[in-house]
Amino acid sequence: MWTEWSEPEPGLAPEHPRTVRDEPVLLTVDGHTFRVGQRADQPGTYDFDWLTGPHDYGFTLGGPAVPMSRREMEDAIRGFLAEIDPATGYLRE
């Protein structure tokens, strides 16, 4: 199961900026969609599945057991995409 990322509605208390905990979320960054989920058995470790990529591919980030903000996730995705070779769809060598 996944949860679509959405901005809070006007008039409601804003969501805490650090969110992914139990349910994966879908993020679209620069036209690419990723499913991002935190590993239950490894707090602070996130799997980024590239759903719109040319291959069944993605990446994992691990760090302190502090939940990532949406901005941090987007920055990680942009960094990953910058390393992809457009000719192969894989990381540049």
Side-chain angles (χ1 to χ4, degrees), residues 8-9 15 18 20 31 33 36-38 46-47 49 51 53 57 60 68 75 81 85 93:
E9 293 181 32
E15 230 178 282
R18 301 185 180 278
V20 176
T33 302
V36 183
Q38 186 175 16
Y46 292 82
D47 292 312
D49 299 318
L51 302 179
Y57 197 52
T60 299
M68 292 180 79
D75 289 347
L81 292 171
D85 181 338
E93 292 188 30

Side-chain angles (χ1 to χ4, degrees), residues 1-5 18-29 32-40 44-52 57-62 66-78 80:
M1 165 102 13
W2 55 269
T3 303
E4 186 74 31
W5 191 288
R18 301 185 180 278
T19 52
V20 176
R21 286 194 171 82
D22 300 319
E23 296 292 326
V25 295
L26 289 183
L27 287 177
T28 299
V29 176
H32 298 272
T33 302
F34 287 78
R35 180 178 46 236
V36 183
Q38 186 175 16
R39 293 184 182 179
T45 300
Y46 292 82
D47 292 312
F48 292 74
D49 299 318
W50 190 9
L51 302 179
T52 56
Y57 197 52
F59 65 101
T60 299
L61 286 179
V66 177
M68 292 180 79
S69 69
R70 177 182 178 164
R71 176 73 176 171
E72 291 167 328
M73 290 179 202
E74 290 172 347
D75 289 347
I77 289 170
R78 284 192 179 98
F80 168 79

